[in-house]
Amino acid sequence: MDLPWGDEKTKQFITNVGLITSTGPYGDNIMAAEWTHHISYSPGLIAVCIKPVDATHDNISKTKEFGVNITSTEQPPLVNIAGGYTGKQINKISALNELGFNFYKGNKIKCLMLEGAALNLECKVIKEISLGDHTMFVGEVLEASLNQDKEPLAFHKGMYGIVNFDIKKPSQEEREKINQIVMKYKKDL
């Protein structure tokens, strides 16, 4: 079964907006990648899923490195450019510079990194896996910069938003009751 882009089922996922920076055959580039995932604490590993037809795919395949820039709530216009145009035809970095968005050179990689992102991660590729219609690049984090005053942008049902923490966790009393019930079903090994 396919789960196509824009389908009501695929719109149920809530994701961050990762902006993947790269350099290579198509020059400095940035693309929006909804499928940007933290997959290991030690070592720090990040997975990004990129279509083989994208300029970013060619850049990462050639250089074996990429930047992950978790978009802040102040950057939605940047996402529209990064995700709405191809780096094979448009110099998105120059267009974004003209719109007032700035980049800096990575400390551990040759890719540009986005100023003002909620989180910046410089990664070297340690694994490349073909999965369906995308390639998953797994990168080990070489450098991380947190911008604590920035709120990460969330994406859900084709809209941008922020994560709201108004839903309360179960109380201590509720957790104890849950634990008592769960422990009744402990397996004898």
Side-chain angles (χ1 to χ4, degrees):
M1 172 177 184
D2 291 341
L3 290 171
W5 168 258
D7 183 273
E8 288 304 312
K9 290 178 267 322
T10 60
K11 287 182 179 181
Q12 293 308 306
F13 289 93
I14 299 171
T15 62
N16 62 48
V17 181
L19 295 175
I20 310 306
T21 48
S22 63
T23 194
Y26 290 99
D28 292 328
N29 191 39
I30 186 168
M31 73 166 286
E34 191 180 340
W35 295 339
T36 304
H37 311 282
H38 179 203
I39 59 172
S40 173
Y41 292 116
S42 183
L45 299 178
I46 303 295
V48 295
C49 298
I50 311 290
K51 290 180 189 174
V53 298
D54 289 336
T56 296
H57 187 284
D58 291 346
N59 279 356
I60 295 172
S61 290
K62 179 75 172 172
T63 64
K64 305 299 184 206
E65 63 182 26
F66 59 91
V68 173
N69 307 270
I70 301 298
T71 313
S72 76
T73 54
E74 301 162 0
Q75 298 173 317
L78 186 151
V79 177
N80 290 348
I81 291 171
Y85 299 90
T86 174
K88 289 183 176 180
Q89 298 174 348
I90 302 292
N91 182 332
K92 295 185 272 185
I93 301 294
S94 293
L96 290 166
N97 280 329
E98 188 170 328
L99 288 167
F101 295 102
N102 297 309
F103 297 85
Y104 65 92
K105 193 74 164 169
N107 292 317
K108 305 280 183 177
I109 62 175
K110 294 178 182 159
C111 304
L112 295 176
M113 303 299 292
L114 175 63
E115 287 184 10
L119 177 66
N120 301 96
L121 304 168
E122 299 179 31
C123 303
K124 73 170 180 177
V125 174
I126 62 164
K127 193 163 199 109
E128 193 173 319
I129 307 163
S130 179
L131 298 169
D133 57 1
H134 283 66
T135 299
M136 177 188 290
F137 293 98
V138 177
E140 182 173 353
V141 177
L142 304 176
E143 178 98 357
S145 299
L146 176 64
N147 295 309
Q148 293 186 1
D149 62 330
K150 303 295 181 184
E151 184 80 23
L153 188 66
F155 185 71
H156 177 61
K157 293 187 176 184
M159 298 180 291
Y160 301 130
I162 59 171
V163 177
N164 186 338
F165 292 101
D166 289 343
I167 299 172
K168 291 184 171 77
K169 290 174 82 172
S171 69
Q172 183 62 36
E173 183 179 307
E174 291 170 309
R175 289 194 301 262
E176 287 171 11
K177 181 180 178 183
I178 291 167
N179 186 55
Q180 288 173 0
I181 292 170
V182 171
M183 286 297 116
K184 287 182 357 186
Y185 299 97
K186 186 175 181 182
K187 296 179 181 179
D188 293 326
L189 300 177

